[in-house]
Amino acid sequence: MRIGVLTGGGDCPGLNAVIRAVVRKGVEVYGHDFVGFRNGWKGPIEGHTRPLGLDQVEDILTRGGTILGSSRTNPYKVDGGVEAIRRTLAEQQVDALIAIGGEDTLGVAKRLTDDGIGVVGVPKTIDNDLGATDYTFGFDTAVHIATESIDRLRTTAESHHRALVVEVMGRHAGWIALHSGLAGGANVILVPEKKFSVDKVVEWVQRRFEREYAPIIVVAEGAMPEDGAEVLVSGEKDAFGHVRLGGIGTWLADEIAARTGKESRAVVLGHTQRGGTPTAYDRVLATRFGLHAVDAVNDGDFGVMVALRGTDIVRVKLSEATAELKTVPTERYAEAEVFFG
Ligand code: F6P
């Protein structure tokens, strides 16, 4: 079999570990042949490939990013996009695809499967918001980076008696904020799933100052005040209809300073959360996903995504995986609320 591999959407630590595992098992155990498609769905649309054999996956396990490149291209928004993919697959004599991505990339994978192209999906996103899998790789690394940043910000905040607002990624799901906030002992954690009262945040911050501590507020980029909306960098939408979020941290730090009379600073962690080498946990999860994805292709089991359930890797229908986002449940948020203020 000849198998095409691509990575789509925002990059994330562990993508190269998946690619390595797919190729190592595919070549050494099954005797399959691979081709890499560059930059997400753009690669098969434009016929942009790169060789993908044992030599190309040597030494990439620990490397962040993706050796294949990524983009947020939606073939269903490109004129003749799906036909172009069919043409490229025929020219390249590719029998099946492994698509490594989040809800958007896997949403396309599902539609292509319905249109008769054999695709197996692998879930990736630092946001951990894909349904049908307990965890996505990349999330653990992002939480690790955010937690380390919170630890560092705490000491400087305490020296200067300032409130420090830490803005982390998470458009619609506050998993990174929840986990890094809990791990870092944040005084307030704000997530997109629950609108927040600025008065209440100010009250918690005041209470923290009264106890001679410097408050740390962790806020997901998609969090919203009760009487407000998401704060955007720009209204421009990508091919999947997403706007660019960002700015809630600075807005909140200004509000806190104005209402408490204390100095406040905002730190936006941004893409540092997605860069660099994956944690050991993510390397293992990504490797296991890769091994099981190539098994699914070898079995001809298309239209599925590999998923983590407990400690097992299972196959779930792509339709199930992309049906709805996995957001932070009320009871998980309530656990964190115990520590607010
Ligand atoms: O989807 C992952 C993610 O990192 C989101 O948390 C974030 O909103 C978005 O990607 C940022 O995208 P970009 O890389 O296009 O700025």
Side-chain angles (χ1 to χ4, degrees):
M1 251 179 150
R2 187 160 154 86
I3 303 165
V5 183
L6 63 88
T7 53
D11 72 339
C12 110
L15 286 167
N16 288 326
V18 179
I19 297 168
R20 167 182 174 269
V22 161
V23 173
R24 287 286 294 273
K25 185 164 190 183
V27 172
E28 291 174 353
V29 177
Y30 295 124
H32 294 318
D33 196 21
F34 291 87
V35 60
F37 285 109
R38 301 299 312 265
N39 307 326
W41 294 113
K42 202 168 187 206
I45 292 173
E46 296 179 0
H48 200 180
T49 62
R50 62 162 279 171
L52 193 58
L54 293 177
D55 286 350
Q56 286 74 35
V57 299
E58 214 171 85
D59 241 1
I60 65 168
L61 170 65
T62 62
R63 206 187 304 169
T66 159
I67 59 166
L68 297 176
S70 195
S71 75
R72 296 189 192 275
T73 308
N74 184 349
Y76 289 91
K77 289 281 168 63
V78 175
D79 259 356
V82 176
E83 280 325 300
I85 291 179
R86 277 190 213 285
R87 242 186 347 263
T88 303
L89 297 187
E91 276 164 20
Q92 291 290 329
Q93 298 179 317
V94 164
D95 306 295
L97 283 174
I98 293 181
I100 312 165
E103 47 150 344
D104 299 328
T105 305
L106 297 181
V108 170
K110 191 221 161 267
R111 289 182 71 177
L112 288 175
T113 308
D114 294 345
D115 289 339
I117 295 173
V119 192
V120 166
V122 178
K124 79 76 239 194
T125 161
I126 63 164
D127 294 345
N128 196 39
D129 59 0
L130 262 179
T133 182
D134 290 352
Y135 284 101
T136 51
F137 66 88
F139 172 65
D140 185 67
T141 308
V143 169
H144 183 81
I145 293 166
T147 304
E148 199 199 332
S149 306
I150 294 167
D151 291 347
R152 288 175 186 281
L153 291 167
R154 178 182 302 287
T155 59
T156 169
E158 282 176 357
S159 305
H160 291 269
H161 317 287
R162 285 172 176 154
L164 232 317
V165 181
V166 189
E167 183 181 308
V168 298
M169 280 188 171
R171 270 192 198 119
H172 308 295
W175 290 107
I176 298 177
L178 181 77
H179 280 229
S180 63
L182 262 179
N187 311 112
V188 185
I189 301 171
L190 304 171
V191 296
E193 289 85 346
K194 188 175 179 188
K195 287 199 167 194
F196 63 87
S197 146
V198 182
D199 289 343
K200 193 73 201 160
V201 171
V202 167
E203 195 186 309
W204 283 320
V205 165
Q206 295 273 33
R207 206 190 307 163
R208 198 70 184 172
F209 272 127
E210 279 158 22
R211 282 151 57 196
E212 297 292 322
Y213 282 113
I216 303 280
I217 300 99
V218 177
V219 57
E221 62 185 343
M224 287 171 273
E226 271 167 4
D227 50 358
E230 290 166 322
V231 182
L232 310 182
V233 170
S234 90
E236 208 179 300
K237 292 188 176 163
D238 68 17
F240 291 94
H242 304 298
V243 284
R244 270 181 69 199
L245 296 178
I248 183 72
T250 306
W251 178 84
L252 188 59
D254 290 347
E255 282 293 308
I256 290 171
R259 296 191 193 201
T260 63
K262 300 277 191 187
E263 271 195 318
S264 294
R265 296 285 190 271
V267 174
V268 181
L269 296 186
H271 294 81
T272 55
Q273 292 159 97
R274 286 203 336 222
T277 190
T279 58
Y281 179 90
D282 278 337
R283 291 178 203 181
V284 172
L285 181 59
T287 297
R288 294 185 72 207
F289 277 161
L291 297 173
H292 286 259
V294 81
D295 289 346
V297 172
N298 190 64
D299 293 345
D301 192 3
F302 300 122
V304 299
M305 179 188 90
V306 290
L308 180 71
R309 292 277 169 85
T311 54
D312 295 334
I313 307 290
V314 299
R315 295 176 196 169
V316 295
K317 291 272 168 227
L318 276 170
S319 49
E320 187 193 334
T322 53
E324 64 179 305
L325 277 186
K326 184 181 67 189
T327 51
V328 173
T330 315
E331 53 289 3
R332 284 296 310 274
Y333 190 67
E335 290 172 358
E337 279 178 314
V338 171
F339 302 97
F340 290 5

